[in-house]
Amino acid sequence: MFDYRVKFDQSGKIIYSNAPMIPAQHDQIDRYLPLFYDIEALEDFDLKALRPYECHIGNKKYFFHLDWSFHEIDNMRFYELLIEDRTSSYNRLQKERSKKNTLRLEQDYLIDRLNTEVEEKNEARSDNHELKTILEHTREGIIYQNQMTGEIVKANHKALELFSCQKVEELKSIQHIHFNGNPREEYDPKLFVHLWNKERKREAKEEVIKLNDHAQKEKYFSVRVVEEQALKLESLNIIFVSDITNEYQSKLELKNKNKELLQYIESNVQLEQFAHVASHDLRAPIITIKSFSNLLKEKCADRLNDNESKYLNIIKENADQMFSLVSDLLDYAQINSQKIAFKKTNLQFLLEGVIDSFRSIANQTNVTIEIVNRLPEIVVDDVKLKRVFQNLLSNAIKFADPTKKSFVKIDFAELDDKYEFMICDNGIGMKEGSVDIFQPYTKLNLQTEYEGNGMGLAICKNIIKQHKGEIYYKSTYGEGSRFVFSIPKEL
Amino acid sequence: MKLYFIDDDEAPHIYHRLMAEESGISEDQIENFYEVDQAIAKLEGQINAQDLSQWPSYIFVDINMPYKSGYDFVKEVEALIPQELMPVIYFVSSTKNPSDIQKVEAIDIIKGFETKFLESEFFKSLDFQKN
């Protein structure tokens, strides 16, 4: 029953052994089987309940079943260890278990694979359906092209429609029509192959081409070639085409308009520069005439007869008027040529300063000036805005009605996105007419009645325009005028 | 006190002479130059000769002149004249161009910027004690 026996005394010393792994003499049993270290405890231990004892002898692995017994001689207890070699039966058992496991695993794997394939097939069917729907309903023309030969394999309805074709075969002829060379300069009969070769990049690149469709109608197309790997299709180019004829032509028109506009701006700038230089250079001789005619009048007044004095006065007055005209023209040209310098400005202080400068003339003409609501502190070009107040106040005082008690009222209102400033007077007002009073040199009165060159409001309009604001007026003849200008809150 | 006028135009010279005389400045106190180089040569000559008897207290210089402008004059004067001898210099022009106003403000040795023509009242306001 048992293959080997080992006898040992109660000190653990081996007395007899026929087990090849345990020598018979001078050895303690616990050296080989640590379980037997505490022999007293061993008596309470059920060895059979243990797993097979596993050990290596040489390179071979053994499984043993252990049992034990004891007997007493002269009060000495002797133990016998019974060792049964179960190596072969255990190996066989393990092999059988392993085989069963492998079979179970294979079976599970096959079931999983089957399920996955079923799922994939369902998904593919669904994807295919979706793709078909997208292809036929997209607004882009989609063309499948053999990457090597350039042959068109397939195209959606939109692509056929874009090139005025009924079937794919007709579409193929598009490749061979003459390429106009604008905006591209080269002609390649295999147009799309050409595109593809040129754009052999990993990303799809859009290009505008101009060609005649199947009905020989000139069109502009936006073409995008996507590499086949991106769509997992072997050796195919996917070409996305959109008709951008309208957009492209609008773009060209816009470009031409912009060019024209730039030319106008340039000529306008040149004109303003000319006005500036001309008015600047004209001032010098006029000042000379003005100053010397004054001098002559002063020095020779007593020596001139009436006619001579009259002639001298005419020279002087005309020199004064020419000086005024040229100075205003220079002012107007300077307003446009000067850069605008925005800064936070207390308009109340600014306006009070302007009113002070008019105080004397206002008193002389019996005009009262009143600021209705305190003006705010906002971002403006203070020098230029001062000029606006000066011009509008000057006009309001100049055109006061001498037959009534005249007033000028300045007010302001804060709106959502802008500030509005109002300059109202009860002066002579303006007759209705088609004259644009904001144009340079526009006058509604005779020079003999009211001095001025009609540049003040033109200058105001330009300054307000530079502030991205608006200026307008309302006037009733005989009752007065109301000028309103606005400055946006965000400049 | 000497006054130098630098201008390429004859009229301002005549007018300013008259106005200066009206304000009490005598004819021999006025020197007229028609271009920048003439005035520079006069100044340089006095420095080299170490004779400052004709040295100007005031210089009135036009901005726009052929060959060399008022700005060229200022550059040369800054290099030529030591600070302690620097006369009072005014720019005189027919127009107060905003870009000129800005430029002039940045030049220390320019006392002011006046528009033509200068009247006798202006000359009367000058510091006659200045040598």
Side-chain angles (χ1 to χ4, degrees):
Chain A
M1 176 76 182
F2 290 93
D3 298 304
Y4 309 110
R5 286 168 194 274
V6 182
K7 287 182 180 175
F8 52 94
D9 62 18
Q10 58 191 23
S11 69
K13 188 182 170 186
I14 295 169
I15 299 157
Y16 167 81
S17 169
N18 66 348
M21 63 289 194
I22 302 175
Q25 292 179 356
H26 312 299
D27 279 308
Q28 294 290 115
I29 187 69
D30 57 2
R31 186 175 159 191
Y32 302 97
L33 299 169
L35 192 63
F36 289 84
Y37 182 72
D38 186 357
I39 290 167
E40 283 178 17
L42 182 68
E43 291 175 17
D44 301 327
F45 208 86
D46 182 7
L47 275 177
K48 283 180 183 168
L50 284 176
R51 287 175 60 197
Y53 184 76
E54 187 181 318
C55 72
H56 285 85
I57 300 170
N59 290 329
K60 197 176 170 188
K61 194 177 182 182
Y62 288 87
F63 294 93
F64 299 111
H65 272 198
L66 305 175
D67 200 359
W68 68 283
S69 63
F70 69 89
H71 59 273
E72 286 182 357
I73 302 170
D74 297 334
N75 291 332
M76 287 285 284
R77 187 169 279 199
F78 293 94
Y79 297 87
E80 189 174 30
L81 180 66
L82 307 166
I83 301 171
E84 186 186 355
D85 185 357
R86 301 286 294 272
T87 304
S88 54
S89 61
Y90 269 95
N91 281 345
R92 194 169 54 248
L93 193 67
Q94 277 198 340
K95 265 183 196 169
E96 279 171 10
R97 275 184 188 162
S98 169
K99 203 174 173 182
K100 271 186 185 170
N101 279 341
T102 309
L103 281 171
R104 198 178 301 129
L105 283 172
E106 274 178 9
Q107 195 180 8
D108 288 349
Y109 171 74
L110 285 171
I111 289 167
D112 279 354
R113 216 175 102 181
L114 202 63
N115 285 337
T116 310
E117 274 175 14
V118 169
E119 276 172 25
E120 275 177 0
K121 272 185 184 170
N122 285 339
E123 271 176 30
R125 205 172 292 137
S126 162
D127 284 353
N128 199 23
H129 181 70
E130 277 175 27
L131 195 63
K132 253 187 172 175
T133 312
I134 291 167
L135 279 176
E136 292 313 320
H137 289 88
T138 182
R139 290 184 176 185
E140 263 188 317
I142 299 172
I143 299 166
Y144 293 76
Q145 181 194 37
N146 185 309
Q147 197 187 89
M148 301 311 293
T149 63
E151 188 196 348
I152 291 173
V153 178
K154 203 176 162 187
N156 69 348
H157 284 310
K158 188 67 191 176
L160 296 175
E161 188 191 314
L162 285 176
F163 291 95
S164 307
C165 296
Q166 299 295 321
K167 42 194 176 181
V168 177
E169 285 67 33
E170 288 174 5
L171 188 63
K172 287 174 185 172
S173 69
I174 298 292
Q175 294 175 79
H176 300 285
I177 64 155
H178 177 67
F179 184 69
N180 289 304
N182 184 16
R184 286 168 59 93
E185 287 174 1
E186 302 156 49
Y187 165 67
D188 190 323
K190 287 178 181 174
L191 174 67
F192 298 132
V193 172
H194 169 84
L195 273 175
W196 173 248
N197 289 340
K198 195 155 190 185
E199 309 303 340
R200 266 196 182 280
K201 288 179 183 172
R202 287 288 163 196
E203 74 229 37
K205 194 171 178 182
E206 200 159 347
E207 186 163 351
V208 175
I209 59 164
K210 179 184 174 186
L211 45 75
N212 295 340
D213 65 6
H214 190 67
Q216 295 302 307
K217 194 177 170 190
E218 194 177 82
K219 281 183 176 175
Y220 288 92
F221 295 96
S222 160
V223 179
R224 200 157 40 95
V225 183
V226 178
E227 71 175 299
E228 80 291 356
Q229 283 154 344
L231 294 170
K232 295 179 181 174
L233 293 167
E234 288 294 320
S235 308
L236 280 179
N237 289 338
I238 312 297
I239 302 157
F240 294 88
V241 190
S242 312
D243 184 355
I244 55 159
T245 308
N246 290 340
E247 293 95 313
Y248 198 79
Q249 276 168 351
S250 307
K251 209 173 160 185
L252 280 180
E253 267 174 41
L254 192 67
K255 206 175 168 185
N256 288 336
K257 291 274 179 207
N258 274 343
K259 207 174 165 184
E260 272 177 39
L261 190 64
L262 281 174
Q263 281 168 350
Y264 282 131
I265 290 170
E266 201 181 329
S267 62
N268 199 29
V269 167
Q270 281 172 353
L271 200 64
E272 277 169 8
Q273 280 171 347
F274 169 75
H276 184 266
V277 172
S279 51
H280 180 269
D281 288 352
L282 277 172
R283 262 174 75 108
I286 297 168
I287 290 170
T288 304
I289 297 169
K290 199 167 106 74
S291 301
F292 276 88
S293 54
N294 269 339
L295 192 67
L296 199 61
K297 194 181 173 188
E298 217 173 85
K299 300 280 180 191
C300 310
D302 52 345
R303 278 179 277 156
L304 299 175
N305 65 34
D306 286 353
N307 273 341
E308 288 166 342
S309 285
K310 193 178 162 189
Y311 302 152
L312 188 59
N313 274 339
I314 291 171
I315 295 172
K316 191 183 161 302
E317 280 167 12
N318 277 280
D320 284 346
Q321 197 190 339
M322 201 191 295
F323 180 77
S324 167
L325 278 165
V326 168
S327 296
D328 281 353
L329 176 63
L330 186 63
D331 277 355
Y332 183 72
Q334 273 177 354
I335 290 292
N336 289 339
S337 62
Q338 280 165 18
K339 278 188 180 169
I340 198 146
F342 292 123
K343 66 175 183 184
K344 203 161 193 183
T345 306
N346 187 323
L347 292 183
Q348 179 72 17
F349 292 158
L350 186 138
L351 182 60
E352 282 171 1
V354 173
I355 292 172
D356 282 346
S357 68
F358 283 105
R359 193 67 71 194
S360 166
I361 182 86
N363 288 340
Q364 282 171 31
T365 49
N366 207 19
V367 177
T368 55
I369 306 172
E370 183 195 347
I371 304 174
V372 181
N373 281 304
R374 196 176 171 82
L375 265 55
E377 191 174 298
I378 63 169
V379 175
V380 290
D381 182 318
D382 58 338
V383 177
K384 290 188 176 182
L385 207 74
K386 187 176 179 180
R387 187 67 188 272
V388 172
F389 280 123
Q390 278 172 339
N391 289 359
L392 294 177
L393 269 178
S394 165
N395 280 351
I397 294 168
K398 186 163 66 179
F399 297 111
D401 186 344
T403 62
K404 56 188 173 190
K405 199 178 175 187
S406 299
F407 65 78
V408 180
K409 288 182 179 176
I410 301 113
D411 200 359
F412 108 98
E414 184 175 351
L415 305 180
D416 284 350
D417 54 346
K418 62 186 176 184
Y419 299 98
E420 265 191 356
F421 300 88
M422 289 77 79
I423 289 92
C424 311
D425 64 64
N426 63 342
I428 59 170
M430 285 175 266
K431 286 177 187 167
E432 276 186 36
S434 58
V435 178
D436 181 0
I437 60 167
F438 293 107
Q439 286 298 312
Y441 294 117
T442 303
K443 287 187 68 180
L444 298 176
N445 306 92
L446 293 172
Q447 182 71 24
T448 47
E449 289 176 331
Y450 293 96
E451 282 185 2
N453 303 312
M455 290 296 277
L457 290 176
I459 289 171
C460 287
K461 188 176 181 180
N462 270 6
I463 294 172
I464 297 304
K465 211 167 126 188
Q466 286 177 336
H467 282 77
K468 295 172 187 160
E470 287 174 344
I471 184 165
Y472 61 91
Y473 74 99
K474 275 185 182 169
S475 186
T476 308
Y477 186 62
E479 288 183 17
S481 302
R482 180 171 183 260
F483 282 84
V484 180
F485 69 86
S486 61
I487 306 279
K489 283 185 175 175
E490 283 186 23
L491 286 170
Chain B
M1 186 184 75
K2 272 270 185 193
L3 273 66
Y4 283 10
F5 290 93
I6 310 167
D7 200 313
D8 61 310
D9 188 7
E10 177 71 22
H13 284 297
I14 297 169
Y15 196 87
H16 290 149
R17 180 178 289 270
L18 282 168
M19 291 299 117
E21 283 175 7
E22 256 184 34
S23 72
I25 295 165
S26 64
E27 199 180 341
D28 59 352
Q29 283 180 286
I30 297 167
E31 290 254 15
N32 297 111
F33 303 93
Y34 292 85
E35 55 186 70
V36 167
D37 283 346
Q38 283 179 347
I40 293 291
K42 177 80 178 181
L43 294 166
E44 202 170 13
Q46 291 175 81
I47 290 171
N48 292 340
Q50 295 187 341
D51 175 9
L52 302 180
S53 57
Q54 301 296 306
W55 194 253
S57 300
Y58 291 91
I59 299 176
F60 301 93
V61 58
D62 185 22
I63 294 178
N64 298 310
M65 288 182 283
Y67 311 120
K68 285 184 180 175
S69 69
Y71 295 110
D72 296 320
F73 174 75
V74 167
K75 264 189 210 164
E76 293 190 27
V77 154
E78 276 180 322
L80 179 71
I81 303 175
Q83 193 57 44
E84 62 275 16
L85 291 179
M86 191 64 77
V88 176
I89 302 172
Y90 280 94
F91 269 173
V92 185
S93 178
S94 54
T95 310
K96 271 196 174 178
N97 191 337
S99 66
D100 281 329
I101 295 172
Q102 279 182 348
K103 271 192 204 171
V104 169
E105 278 173 0
I107 304 170
D108 288 341
I109 64 165
I110 301 290
K111 166 89 173 175
F113 184 10
E114 298 294 330
T115 45
K116 286 176 188 173
F117 288 142
L118 302 172
E119 298 295 333
S120 58
E121 295 305 313
F122 175 82
F123 291 106
K124 279 178 193 163
S125 71
L126 297 179
D127 182 1
F128 281 85
Q129 300 307 310
K130 194 169 170 69
N131 293 315

